Amino acid sequence: MTRVAIVTGGTRGIGAAISEALLEAGYKVAATYHGNEKAAQEFTKKTGIAAYKFDVGDYDTCAAGVAKITADIGAVDVLVNNAGITRDAFLHKMTPQQWREVMHCDLDSVFNMSRLVIEGMRERCFGRIINISSINGQEGQVGQTNYSAAKAGILGFTRALAKECATKGVTVNAIAPGYIDTEMVRAVSPEVLQKIIDKIPLKRLGKPEEVAAMVVFLASNQAAFATGATFTVNGAQYISS
Ligand code: CAA
């Protein structure tokens, strides 16, 4: 039977590459988006993947969104919590709003979406939850106390939920991409971006497809024993044991 996957923030950047890779691998895919209507329309036109507009940081809109997706293409087997934003500023300049917006989109979303699919996955004894964290949640990044905290929070969430679901056929993993060639990374000033690339042993940015390939593996039956883990895709920029 064809499996159903949701990719949050799935119409742009790393998320779009993940949506396309899962489609290519034979999944029925729903991509969510929030702000960029034009990009979502172009993505659907190009790929044929339906895009669903809702705020993943808000539990009630997620509940309605997941219900609609389930009615349209079936019960969710694979959830990729990818949606994320940055609001970079040194802490001594950061506003409460910059903190809250990042927590809302990058961390609350992981609870909301996972909570809404976890009961069904447990009942059906199969599920894959793949959370997109970041190198900056592992090692910290200047200007990103908000984003680093949210992305580190995702790692704790992943480990705890993996243990809760271990006997239920549901795996929960995190991927921590390094600097990937997306609009989000290109928004950093050219001078700072050059400093970052200089620190990457591979001397280049990663490609969204290089993260998507890891998602496809973790979603597969072959990855059944991999759970509670953090997989890095970072060009050896940050190596932890
Ligand atoms: N790496 C190294 N140095 C950095 C840096 C970085 N990522 N970010 C800032 N700096 C340095 C600047 O080069 C500058 O150094 P000098 O004083 O030697 O010139 C110093 O920090 C102060 O920077 P600014 O002059 O830019 O100060 P600001 O207050 O105007 O802005 C900032 C500070 C908000 C941190 C801004 O520099 C910035 O946005 N930096 C980028 C932060 C970053 O790396 N964000 C990652 C975005 S991509 C992403 O998040 C995806 C992912 O998961 C990897």
Side-chain angles (χ1 to χ4, degrees), residues 14 85-90 92-93 133-137 141-144 147 151 177-180 182 184-189 191-193 195-196 199:
I14 293 174
I85 58 167
T86 55
R87 295 288 182 265
D88 293 355
F90 284 116
H92 59 271
K93 298 179 187 170
S133 177
S134 165
I135 188 174
N136 294 344
Q141 172 59 279
V142 295
Q144 290 199 312
Y147 185 84
K151 294 296 186 178
Y179 282 78
I180 307 298
T182 60
M184 180 187 277
V185 167
R186 291 279 170 196
V188 172
S189 76
E191 298 75 36
V192 171
L193 188 57
K195 279 191 191 177
I196 291 167
K199 284 192 220 151

Side-chain angles (χ1 to χ4, degrees), residues 28-241:
K28 284 194 263 182
V29 181
T32 82
Y33 71 103
H34 189 216
N36 196 327
E37 196 80 48
K38 187 163 170 274
Q41 281 172 9
E42 281 168 8
F43 171 80
T44 296
K45 201 170 158 198
K46 180 179 146 215
T47 62
I49 296 170
Y52 293 81
K53 182 174 182 172
F54 58 93
D55 177 2
V56 286
D58 181 89
Y59 187 81
D60 293 336
T61 60
C62 285
V66 170
K68 171 101 178 82
I69 291 167
T70 303
D72 288 353
I73 58 173
V76 181
D77 302 298
V78 177
L79 169 65
V80 185
N81 284 310
N82 165 77
I85 58 167
T86 55
R87 295 288 182 265
D88 293 355
F90 284 116
L91 186 66
H92 59 271
K93 298 179 187 170
M94 188 176 286
T95 63
Q97 187 176 352
Q98 285 173 315
W99 174 267
R100 275 196 300 270
E101 283 179 8
V102 169
M103 289 298 150
H104 179 85
C105 177
D106 299 20
L107 189 56
D108 291 351
S109 60
V110 176
F111 166 77
N112 294 339
M113 293 298 290
S114 304
R115 176 68 186 84
L116 288 160
V117 301
I118 198 69
E119 288 181 68
M121 288 179 174
R122 290 174 68 97
E123 276 159 23
R124 295 187 299 278
C125 292
F126 180 87
R128 297 283 185 265
I129 296 182
I130 301 159
N131 297 320
I132 307 301
S133 177
S134 165
I135 188 174
N136 294 344
Q138 296 179 295
E139 66 168 355
Q141 172 59 279
V142 295
Q144 290 199 312
T145 49
N146 48 6
Y147 185 84
S148 297
K151 294 296 186 178
I154 285 176
L155 301 182
F157 177 95
T158 299
R159 291 168 191 149
L161 186 58
K163 287 182 180 175
E164 287 186 13
C165 300
T167 59
K168 298 287 179 189
V170 179
T171 68
V172 187
N173 288 290
I175 298 176
Y179 282 78
I180 307 298
D181 196 352
T182 60
E183 275 173 49
M184 180 187 277
V185 167
R186 291 279 170 196
V188 172
S189 76
E191 298 75 36
V192 171
L193 188 57
Q194 193 52 54
K195 279 191 191 177
I196 291 167
I197 294 173
D198 290 344
K199 284 192 220 151
I200 305 174
L202 258 71
K203 298 293 172 210
R204 68 168 176 87
L205 297 175
K207 299 176 192 157
E209 298 74 32
E210 291 168 332
V211 179
M214 182 70 85
V215 172
V216 172
F217 167 66
L218 291 174
S220 71
N221 287 341
Q222 286 77 6
F225 203 60
T227 190
T230 301
F231 294 83
T232 59
V233 183
N234 68 20
Q237 186 179 351
Y238 176 76
I239 300 172
S240 64
S241 56

